[in-house]
Amino acid sequence: MPGSRYCTALGAAFMLLFSIATAVADTAPATLRLSQSWQAGADITAYLDVRDQDGQAVSGLDASQLYATIGPQVAGVTAVESFAATDEGVLYLFLIDRSRSLSAARFAEIRAALTAWVTALEPTDSAALITFGERVDTLVAPTSDQAVLKDAIAALTPTDNRTALHQGLARGISLGQQQVADWPHRRAIVILSDGLEDAPGGMTTDEVLSRLAENPVPIYAIGLSAVRDATRREAGLATLGRFARESGGLYLDANRASDLAATYAEMRGHIRAVQRVQLHCADCVLDGNRYRLQITLLTEDGLRLSNGTDLRLLPLPPNAEVGDSATDDASDEEPSAPATEAAASDDDAEAPSAPESAPESPSSTSTPEAETAATSESTPAPFAEIDSRWLLLAAALASLLLLLIILAIRGRAQRRRQAETNANAPSSEPPSPHLDAASDAIAGAEDDALSLDQDVFATTNPAPPTQPASAPFTQPSPPPSPINNGPPLRLAFVTGPQRGATVKLSLGQPAVLGRALRNALAVTDDAEISGRHAEIERLANNQLVLRDLGSTNGTRLNGVRIQGTHPLNPGDLIGVGQTDLRVLA
């Protein structure tokens, strides 16, 4: 009997040890995904989503387990902590399908789920509402005002017959890449969709993926489809899942879910269950070029998990300082540069050794076209074409001006000879005033530019036939109109057909943006831009302003459609049609 009790106790102890070992093994990292990155000078914040084999979040990572490279340079890991333990918030970008592809009952569930999410927002969180159907609208710009968000959600109804899904995602990505001081650094696009795009002439899948190639905004997608055609339904959901994976986000299938609110709550948990990793790259060159950020996790059992993304190393603006944490850096960010290349594919499988997994140098990670667009000393091809057109126009204007000056001088000389003849021949008729008036106006406007003697331009008015000619009369020159030239304005194409190009605008007078070639900035390859779409003006106090000119599709400032005139500052994003331009200086 004593021996039996001894064996029982030994067996129980063995089972306990086995359970503990199994629990420890289950919490070991099995997958690693770089969800998002944020760069401020030589400091980079990375958000890692590490999961075990059961898909549960793994916490408690140590800086010694992580190895990071940015291009050819090694970045030091200065801190690792759970996102939930920080005081940092999340900017949720809710994309809402307002087409009739969803039933009224399902749409009511979506409204209830979004309202519950807004109610659960942390004090440091913000949210924005973007609707897509036949068109895309930023219904509510990023805000922490729950009442405004709930009122807008309550008013949502499915009204459209088309679904511009891809354009909606592009709007969310553009808004999520904005570096605004008051917005949280952690970003997440949240969308429920069937993944199908049916807008005539809409954006393609590849166009959306190209916008995710550099500094992507993670897409957290909930797949739900009522399409009866199995092939079409599966294709749409597969595309939605691909967007989520390529962006560093997550895909959840809700086709069998009985409660959409629970699915939304699960997705919210995934967004916040990340590790915030602080990196510092002392040897990195902030030259505006595109580099590969690669992070490798070395586990105790020798497993290597690696994932990465492309980012562009931009210098800090003048007078900016880098803070100690991701929250401190918000106001010191340089505007994000445009993406011009496709991102390399990442796997959760075993990665090469740390030095081998480092991405290529700038000369190999970016194509010549991308480096040309990113380097300030180079001139992009679209800009060169703009310069050529302006040079031809300037040459034509100069030739026309020279011809007018010659005609004016000859007209003056002819009238002077006519006046002398009239003085010697009292019976002659006075000359016609029409040619004289035209010549006087042309020549008078050029007096200051030519710096000629006023006597050359003197006009003698003939007297009546019975009197001698009157004394010469000098046409006064009109004063030059004051023009506030100021420094030229630099704009960078962030999206659109000319993505990667940089242009300069002279603001001696309001610069008009539109498709017409006569505009200061002609964007002829974007069909959604009006002929005269918007204009930028420099006021007398040097303040820049942006003004919509009654365009068909409207003008956006930092993702929000504007009416009338609005102040414009460096770092702001101007949106016209499918084209976004960053104000550089």
Side-chain angles (χ1 to χ4, degrees), residues 16-381:
L16 178 62
L17 290 175
F18 179 78
S19 300
I20 294 174
T22 302
V24 171
D26 288 343
T27 59
T31 62
L32 178 146
R33 184 174 70 252
L34 178 54
S35 178
Q36 184 193 347
S37 63
W38 187 276
Q39 180 251 340
D43 291 322
I44 294 91
T45 301
Y47 300 92
L48 296 182
D49 191 349
V50 184
R51 302 274 166 172
D52 62 16
Q53 61 183 6
D54 295 326
Q56 300 299 314
V58 176
S59 59
L61 298 181
D62 187 80
S64 61
Q65 298 177 271
L66 298 174
Y67 183 86
T69 56
I70 301 175
Q73 306 299 337
V74 176
V77 181
T78 60
V80 181
E81 57 185 332
S82 171
F83 182 81
T86 70
D87 59 354
E88 188 176 349
V90 181
L91 171 55
Y92 300 103
L93 303 167
F94 295 113
L95 266 64
I96 305 163
D97 185 353
R98 66 183 179 197
S99 70
R100 292 191 177 96
S101 59
L102 295 172
S103 65
R106 278 297 194 185
F107 202 87
E109 289 186 64
I110 295 173
R111 281 199 303 264
L114 291 176
T115 302
W117 192 317
V118 170
T119 302
L121 289 178
E122 301 289 341
T124 53
D125 291 342
S126 297
L129 300 180
I130 301 173
T131 60
F132 62 94
E134 293 176 355
R135 55 177 294 167
V136 177
D137 288 308
T138 304
L139 198 61
V140 178
T143 180
S144 58
D145 192 330
Q146 294 189 15
V148 172
L149 292 167
K150 290 179 180 179
D151 289 344
I153 292 172
L156 289 172
T157 56
T159 57
D160 293 359
N161 296 318
R162 297 287 186 175
T163 307
L165 169 64
H166 295 164
Q167 187 179 349
L169 286 170
R171 178 71 62 84
I173 294 169
S174 177
L175 192 59
Q177 290 175 338
Q178 300 306 305
Q179 298 188 352
V180 180
D182 296 336
W183 296 358
H185 290 181
R186 176 69 170 140
R187 310 286 169 84
I189 295 174
V190 181
I191 181 174
L192 184 145
S193 174
D194 57 11
L196 296 176
E197 159 81 31
D198 60 5
M203 295 179 64
T204 65
T205 299
D206 290 339
E207 286 180 286
V208 177
L209 293 174
S210 69
R211 301 191 181 206
L212 296 173
E214 178 184 323
N215 193 28
V217 181
I219 298 173
Y220 290 85
I222 299 174
L224 182 64
S225 179
V227 178
R228 295 183 178 181
D229 186 324
T231 302
R232 188 165 176 261
R233 178 178 64 249
E234 292 174 3
L237 296 176
T239 300
L240 193 64
R242 184 182 180 188
F243 289 151
R245 290 189 303 273
E246 294 283 345
S247 65
L250 182 70
Y251 172 80
L252 293 179
D253 191 346
N255 286 285
R256 297 182 180 179
S258 58
D259 185 6
L260 281 181
T263 306
Y264 271 96
E266 179 184 354
M267 188 65 86
R268 182 174 179 271
H270 281 286
I271 294 173
R272 299 188 66 87
V274 294
Q275 303 290 308
R276 190 177 76 176
V277 181
Q278 302 284 357
L279 306 174
H280 182 76
C281 187
D283 297 328
C284 286
V285 180
L286 308 180
D287 54 4
N289 280 322
R290 181 171 165 176
Y291 296 90
R292 185 72 176 174
L293 166 61
Q294 195 77 17
I295 298 181
T296 302
L297 171 62
L298 307 175
T299 63
E300 295 179 355
D301 58 359
L303 179 66
R304 294 178 181 177
L305 303 175
S306 185
N307 198 231
T309 186
D310 286 0
L311 56 83
R312 196 174 295 277
L313 294 182
L314 298 170
L316 287 172
N319 303 322
E321 298 179 359
V322 180
D324 297 330
S325 67
T327 307
D328 298 332
D329 298 335
S331 61
D332 300 329
E333 301 290 345
E334 180 72 11
S336 174
T340 55
E341 305 171 358
S345 60
D346 304 312
D347 297 317
D348 288 326
E350 182 171 324
S353 61
E356 295 176 354
S357 64
E360 300 96 353
S361 62
S363 61
S364 60
T365 56
S366 300
T367 62
E369 292 80 7
E371 294 179 358
T372 303
T375 308
S376 59
E377 288 81 9
S378 302
T379 303

